[in-house]
Amino acid sequence: MRVRHLLVAFLFLLSCEGHSQGKIGGPCQGCEAVYEYGDRTLTATDTLPGFHENEPRLLVEGRVFQQDGQSPAEGVILYIYHTSRKGLYEARAGATDWASRHGYIRGWVRTGPSGYYRFYTVRPSPYPDGREPEHIHLTVKEADKQEYYLDSYFFTDDPFLTPEEIASHDNRGGSGVTTPTMEHGILTVKRDIILGKNIPNYP
């Protein structure tokens, strides 16, 4: 009987491993937060909480392309979240679900026919212990596929962004390393995204 139980457990583990390997992009903790926009009607532009009250303000923009890297991808939801100017994922009182872990500085857009997207936010700060460079997390949800994460946005003028750190990136969806420039009075970073690029198990 013990042998039978061990065999069943072993087969279960194999099944779980196979399911994990078949998941687009692999395991993705917190990616289900991409659905937490409630009853909002998503557009190609979103302004994240705290944008008007904090500095430096940041514009994150670009286009989302299909696998060929040329055809615009319409109807794609992008979800981002990042630290406050204190370097913390600050949650508001009474926050539930992933808002309690990702904090209140988060937003969602849905691309239009051109694939364009735009987020107005504030520049994140690194964690207080300085373990990681500044970054903005990014999750994508295509209409006919499950959600998966892409490489975070990073900034070339961040002293914590070392060559070793850049070399460790998988470039999921294309490189997330951006160069901030001042445009029309606001710090701006541009990043185009190619769906499926360097994504394991992408159909």
Side-chain angles (χ1 to χ4, degrees):
M1 184 64 68
R2 178 177 174 80
V3 172
R4 181 182 177 184
H5 287 169
L6 290 174
L7 178 60
V8 170
F10 177 69
L11 292 174
F12 175 77
L13 288 173
L14 286 179
S15 175
C16 291
E17 182 180 356
H19 178 73
S20 176
Q21 290 176 346
K23 184 178 177 70
I24 297 175
C28 186
Q29 184 182 29
C31 278
E32 57 267 32
V34 73
Y35 301 106
E36 292 184 349
Y37 55 87
D39 58 359
R40 296 169 53 188
T41 298
L42 301 184
T43 66
T45 300
D46 192 17
T47 301
L48 276 63
F51 171 74
H52 297 289
E53 297 80 24
N54 293 282
E55 297 282 352
R57 296 172 183 168
L58 181 70
L59 169 60
V60 179
E61 64 178 352
R63 295 181 67 192
V64 181
F65 295 99
Q66 299 177 24
Q67 277 187 284
D68 61 11
Q70 298 180 345
S71 304
E74 182 178 5
V76 176
I77 297 175
L78 301 180
Y79 165 67
I80 67 168
Y81 69 97
H82 61 79
T83 61
S84 67
R85 293 300 301 160
K86 298 177 183 177
L88 304 172
Y89 297 103
E90 298 186 55
R92 289 177 169 164
T96 60
D97 300 321
W98 284 99
S100 64
R101 297 182 61 178
H102 291 177
Y104 73 91
I105 306 179
R106 59 185 195 148
W108 296 259
V109 295
R110 188 191 306 269
T111 59
S114 69
Y116 181 74
Y117 72 92
R118 177 193 293 124
F119 290 103
Y120 288 99
T121 186
V122 296
R123 182 162 180 163
S125 288
Y127 298 154
D129 60 10
R131 287 185 297 111
E132 292 192 36
E134 303 166 339
H135 59 282
I136 299 175
H137 296 278
L138 173 62
T139 301
V140 63
K141 173 65 177 76
E142 302 177 52
D144 59 343
K145 296 178 179 63
Q146 66 186 61
E147 67 281 0
Y148 55 92
Y149 74 92
L150 300 181
D151 272 21
S152 296
Y153 296 81
F154 295 91
F155 313 105
T156 54
D157 61 351
D158 180 357
F160 290 106
L161 185 66
T162 63
E164 292 75 20
E165 169 72 27
I166 294 174
S168 71
H169 297 173
D170 295 325
N171 294 327
R172 294 167 61 110
S175 175
V177 178
T178 65
T179 299
T181 59
M182 189 63 67
E183 296 186 12
H184 308 291
I186 184 171
L187 199 62
T188 301
V189 296
K190 301 179 185 293
R191 176 188 181 182
D192 290 339
I193 294 166
I194 301 177
L195 297 175
K197 184 172 183 179
N198 298 325
I199 304 296
N201 303 314
Y202 190 85

